[in-house]
Every structure is written in structure tokens, then in C-alpha cells.
Amino acid sequence: MQPTPEPKKHKPYSNILFDIEAFIGSDSHSFIPCLLVAIVTCNQCESIFYLEFECANCGKRLVKFYNEPSSGRSLMSNFLLFLDAFQRKTKNAVYLTGFNNSRYDNLFVWEELLNDGLQLLTGAPLRKGTSINTLKIGNITLRDLCLFIPTKLRSLPTMFKLDTDIRKGYFPYTFLNSFESLDYVGNFPDSSYFDTHKY
């Protein structure tokens, strides 16, 4: 009779979940990132559900990047600097994950890498058409949750038995058309800006 093998120990890992919001440029053909939000966890702190948490291993849980033209660096450039610093300080495998980011968010990351960060790449991207399915930046693997769980974002709370009051909501994408409109103060935008007919 063979002895029962020891359970396999998982290697330490960190997850960076991210999403980028952008507005449509004045030429109507380009998107300009204006906000990137990242949630950082590791195998030691992922069960703590507190956004203000700061882990001794992976740092601040909630990290935000804004596009501030006066700073001289784009939010994507600052995000790459953050990723580079993060992967240098950890020995963990790092997974940078978004939802449907292979078709959208990853393209902003790729563009910034081409402009200012090719030295960070450790392998060619895995592409399918114009999508970038995966990419290696040092010990960081960029991946798309939608490729593992092919469903709509609004279905995830039910699928994982989360509070079903959690909803993505609607955003006035066509109202947001410049950096100045980010600081808009005034009446609630007209419902035509919200594109609710798409949902």
C-alpha cells in the first residue's frame, strides 16, 4: 500500500485586478484613458474583503491612476512604473487580470509598452486577431478573465452567489469627451448620454 502523498503546496502569488475607463477623443476614432483602478491581493490577504486594507506583502489594496496632463506622464506610463516596481519587490508569480481586457484594456497596456516600455517585456504577446490574450511583463502575466469564464460581467454576481444588488450600472460615455469634462459640476447629464439601449 502506497502512503498518501503530501498535499501539493501552492506557490505564492499576487493578483492585480484592473479596469480602464476612457473617453472618446475629438476625432471620434480614438479612446483616451482617463482612469485606471486596480485591486491588489496575494495568497496571504485575498480573503480580507476591505478595500482600504494594506498588506505587508503586497501593499495597498486599492490603487488608482488618473490621467493628469500637467504631470508629464500618462496614467498608462504611471501604471507601467507601478507594475515594474511591484514585480521587482515580490518573488510571487503575479497575475494582472481584467474582464474582457484582451479586446480593450490590454491594447492600452500594449501601446504604452511600445511607446516606452519594451525593455519590460519578457515574451511576445499571445494574440488572436486584434486581441491581446496574454502578455508577460517580467514575472507578471497579463490575462483576461473572460477567456476563462465566458459570460457577461452582469452574470458574475449570480454565478458566484454574491449579493445580487451589485450591478455595473450605466456611465455617460458620450458625455465624457475631454479632460475638462472629468471635473464637470452641474445638472445630471441627459439620459441620451448613457447608451442604456445597448443593455
Side-chain angles (χ1 to χ4, degrees), residues 115-188:
N115 289 337
D116 195 29
L118 278 177
Q119 72 279 5
L120 300 176
L121 280 175
T122 51
L126 176 61
R127 299 183 72 144
K128 182 178 181 183
T130 58
S131 298
I132 298 174
N133 293 350
T134 191
L135 189 63
K136 289 281 285 178
I137 305 169
N139 66 340
I140 299 172
T141 303
L142 189 67
R143 61 187 186 178
D144 184 350
L145 185 61
C146 199
L147 298 176
F148 296 95
I149 305 172
T151 189
K152 294 182 182 215
L153 187 59
R154 69 175 146 229
S155 302
L156 288 178
T158 305
M159 182 183 292
F160 290 104
K161 297 182 177 147
L162 299 174
D163 181 358
T164 54
D165 290 339
I166 299 170
R167 302 224 186 277
K168 182 172 179 179
Y170 301 106
F171 190 81
Y173 291 103
T174 54
F175 181 77
L176 181 64
N177 59 11
S178 69
F179 289 109
E180 292 74 30
S181 64
L182 290 172
D183 297 322
Y184 172 78
V185 175
N187 293 334
F188 200 75

Side-chain angles (χ1 to χ4, degrees), residues 1-121:
M1 181 156 228
Q2 295 285 333
T4 305
E6 288 288 319
K8 205 174 192 180
K9 288 187 178 177
H10 294 285
K11 293 181 180 176
Y13 59 88
S14 296
N15 286 311
I16 302 173
L17 307 172
F18 80 109
D19 188 35
I20 297 171
E21 296 301 336
F23 62 82
I24 300 170
S26 58
D27 62 4
S28 299
H29 298 291
S30 62
F31 290 88
I32 301 168
C34 58
L35 172 67
L36 187 152
V37 177
I39 296 177
V40 183
T41 63
C42 67
N43 56 300
Q44 296 174 1
C45 72
E46 66 186 357
S47 62
I48 300 169
F49 303 109
Y50 181 61
L51 285 177
E52 283 74 35
F53 182 74
E54 191 158 340
C55 175
N57 185 42
C58 60
K60 287 176 68 174
R61 170 71 44 91
L62 181 64
V63 186
K64 297 177 186 175
F65 299 88
Y66 300 93
N67 210 343
E68 301 170 29
S70 61
S71 72
R73 296 192 75 88
S74 70
L75 76 88
M76 294 310 300
S77 178
N78 287 330
F79 184 55
L80 280 186
L81 289 172
F82 165 79
L83 292 177
D84 188 42
F86 189 87
Q87 62 110 11
R88 288 174 189 268
K89 77 174 185 177
T90 185
K91 301 212 182 316
N92 293 0
V94 182
Y95 301 101
L96 178 61
T97 309
F99 189 85
N100 203 26
N101 56 311
S102 60
R103 295 181 180 183
Y104 187 72
D105 306 66
N106 291 2
L107 302 177
F108 293 120
V109 174
W110 179 244
E111 181 179 24
E112 189 60 36
L113 284 167
L114 291 176
N115 289 337
D116 195 29
L118 278 177
Q119 72 279 5
L120 300 176
L121 280 175

